[in-house]
Amino acid sequence: MNLDNLQLLIPVARRGSFAAVAKERGVDPSSVSRAIADVEGELGLRLFQRSTRSMTLTEAGEIYLARLEPLLEELEHAREAAAQVSSAPRGLLRLTASVTFGQMCIVPLLGAFRARYPDLQVECVFSDANVDLVTERIDLAIRLAPAIDGDVVVAKLMDTRYRVYASPEYLAKHAPLVQPADLSAHRVLLFNLRAYRSHWLFRDTQGQEERVAIQGDLTLAPASALLTAALAGLGPALLPDWLVADAVAKRLLVPLFPGYAATATTFDTAAWIVYPSRSYLPHKVRVMVDFLRETLFQAI
């Protein structure tokens, strides 16, 4: 039985459409339809129930695909394991991250990654939505959160910390900002999430927490827009360390309240490496994970 045809069964079942799968793969829908028909002909079974508006798995199709998918995955693992013995990683790696993290932290590293692994293609899908890793065929995700839930494999990439920053120009023209409570007299820059728009939390070195009410007339997203506004002197902003490292090093932004940790929601956050739950980590994913662990700490 044609292995390529068998491998088409999984995306067709997930998408419920020949046309959608054909578009993703850059082929004619009729070729996908013929491939599925060939598999059904060899099996002597109807795997999909077709109508003018939808396509769903039959009972036989559900049973067959439930057994087939892990077999196809194991075949791919076997191929990759054999290839690792004598060759560099190759193929396509699909990676997702938030828009700002991707633009600020991932894109600047891609040149070095490409130089190290010239046979590996990288496709970046930057989105502030949590992209479904299986449906979108994502190999690796980087997500920013206190913790990650779901049927995925998770490893911490790095801790992330938030502080309040303002430009020297802003600080020279406005009332002093010595203690977190002083923010109440300023119009701060607001991030476009509800939890970030009413108050910020501060914790001193003794662990004492303080809740400070905030107000502002500028709400921005994504986080890169918040950074740009802070650099322009439009107000204090609550920003993550990975976003402001360069601006702080160049003294374009000043960290405020050095004796306090700051947050809008929770103090302990991190960047997490996430990939679909499986028993085998592909070589291409492993080299990207190792590369990010090595280079991100140097860049931030």
Side-chain angles (χ1 to χ4, degrees), residues 179-194:
Q179 298 294 327
D182 296 336
L183 286 167
S184 297
H186 292 252
R187 289 186 295 180
V188 306
L189 299 172
L190 304 173
F191 187 52
N192 192 24
L193 286 177
R194 179 174 296 179

Side-chain angles (χ1 to χ4, degrees), residues 8-266:
L8 277 175
L9 291 174
I10 307 302
V12 168
R14 288 177 179 149
R15 294 296 191 189
S17 166
F18 292 145
V21 173
K23 183 177 180 181
E24 287 178 352
R25 298 177 179 233
V27 299
D28 191 88
S30 62
S31 67
V32 178
S33 177
R34 284 195 301 271
I36 301 305
D38 287 346
V39 174
E40 291 180 323
E42 291 194 52
L43 291 173
L45 297 170
R46 179 175 289 277
L47 302 177
F48 293 94
Q49 188 67 44
R50 303 162 176 83
S51 70
T52 55
R53 293 187 177 183
S54 65
M55 183 171 64
T56 58
L57 284 169
T58 62
E59 183 179 2
E62 290 180 354
I63 294 172
Y64 186 69
L65 261 70
R67 300 292 294 271
L68 176 66
E69 188 168 7
L71 295 176
L72 290 176
E73 186 173 278
E74 192 57 37
L75 280 173
E76 178 63 16
H77 295 168
R79 185 196 65 79
E80 290 184 348
Q84 287 180 37
V85 174
S86 59
S87 66
R90 61 183 64 245
L92 175 65
L93 173 69
R94 284 173 54 83
L95 181 151
T96 188
S98 69
V99 173
T100 299
F101 190 91
Q103 291 174 342
M104 300 293 290
C105 298
I106 302 299
V107 172
L109 302 177
L110 292 179
F113 185 80
R114 182 168 60 182
R116 187 180 298 185
Y117 302 106
D119 296 327
L120 189 56
Q121 298 175 323
V122 179
E123 182 176 339
C124 294
V125 182
F126 297 145
S127 172
D128 289 330
N130 274 348
V131 177
D132 185 277
L133 305 187
V134 175
T135 301
E136 300 300 327
R137 297 180 294 116
I138 298 295
D139 297 296
L140 177 66
I142 299 174
R143 291 185 173 157
L144 306 169
I148 303 294
D149 298 320
D151 184 23
V152 291
V153 179
V154 179
K156 183 183 288 187
L157 177 59
M158 62 182 186
D159 291 316
T160 59
R161 295 290 181 262
Y162 284 76
R163 291 182 67 176
V164 180
Y165 299 86
S167 70
E169 292 76 16
Y170 179 87
L171 295 173
K173 296 176 182 178
H174 294 81
L177 285 163
V178 179
Q179 298 294 327
D182 296 336
L183 286 167
S184 297
H186 292 252
R187 289 186 295 180
V188 306
L189 299 172
L190 304 173
F191 187 52
N192 192 24
L193 286 177
R194 179 174 296 179
Y196 286 71
R197 300 200 300 255
S198 60
H199 67 272
W200 292 341
L201 301 174
F202 295 86
R203 185 172 63 192
D204 64 21
T205 55
Q206 279 70 49
Q208 294 296 314
E209 295 186 10
E210 179 180 355
R211 180 185 178 107
V212 176
I214 55 169
Q215 59 177 341
D217 55 3
L218 288 176
T219 302
L220 304 109
S224 56
L226 206 61
L227 171 64
T228 301
L231 289 169
L234 299 182
L238 181 64
L239 297 166
D241 49 5
W242 54 263
L243 181 58
V244 301
D246 184 61
V248 171
K250 294 177 179 177
R251 299 185 179 180
L252 301 175
L253 286 179
V254 177
L256 306 178
F257 322 126
Y260 292 84
T263 185
T265 53
T266 182

Side-chain angles (χ1 to χ4, degrees), residues 116-117 157 288-299:
R116 187 180 298 185
Y117 302 106
L157 177 59
M288 175 59 87
V289 170
D290 291 343
F291 176 82
L292 291 175
R293 289 188 184 280
E294 172 192 336
T295 56
L296 267 179
F297 286 107
Q298 297 176 3

